[in-house]
């Protein structure tokens, strides 16, 4: 199952809602992918390095025909939610272009 939550940048709550839903989802295994074209926020909130993250996932996908899933690119948040962290606002346009 895939659930997408979106909004325009500056609209409060999309990332927070996604993390809350993943933390409380009744079936284990939910992973949040922070794919905000304006840049991710979760790395700064939790003091994490942005890599591995969405940029590494996009690069691996562009170079390979095999699919290893999201696990190699996800980091565990203190709220027990795996997240593929989005790039900074400066790097977001290039990462989004790789995913297109």
């Amino acid at each position: 199952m895939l659930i997408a939550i979106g909004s325009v940048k500056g609209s409060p709550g999309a990332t927070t809602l996604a993390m809350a839903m993943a933390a409380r989802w009744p079936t284990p295994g939910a992973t949040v992918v922070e794919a905000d074209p304006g840049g991710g926020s979760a790395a700064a909130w939790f003091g994490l390095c942005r890599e591995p993250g969405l940029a590494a996932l996009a690069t691996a996908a562009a170079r390979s025909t095999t699919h290893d899933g999201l696990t190699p690119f996800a980091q565990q948040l203190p709220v027990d939610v795996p997240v593929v962290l989005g790039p900074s606002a400066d790097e977001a346009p290039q990462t989004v272009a790789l995913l297109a």
Side-chain angles (χ1 to χ4, degrees), residues 54-100:
L54 190 61
L57 172 61
T59 301
R63 293 183 179 164
S64 175
T65 57
T66 61
H67 186 273
D68 294 329
L70 298 176
T71 302
F73 308 100
Q75 296 183 47
Q76 195 73 18
L77 296 180
V79 293
D80 201 29
V81 172
V83 64
V84 177
L85 295 168
S88 68
D90 296 343
E91 298 167 333
Q94 297 91 324
T95 303
V96 171
L98 282 173
L99 291 171

Side-chain angles (χ1 to χ4, degrees), residues 7-64:
S7 71
V8 294
K9 188 66 180 169
S11 295
T15 301
T16 303
L17 175 61
M19 287 185 199
M21 287 179 65
R24 301 300 298 166
W25 202 254
T27 306
T31 300
V32 173
V33 177
E34 190 179 37
D36 187 335
S41 306
W45 293 348
F46 293 100
L48 298 172
C49 181
R50 292 191 183 278
E51 293 301 328
L54 190 61
L57 172 61
T59 301
R63 293 183 179 164
S64 175

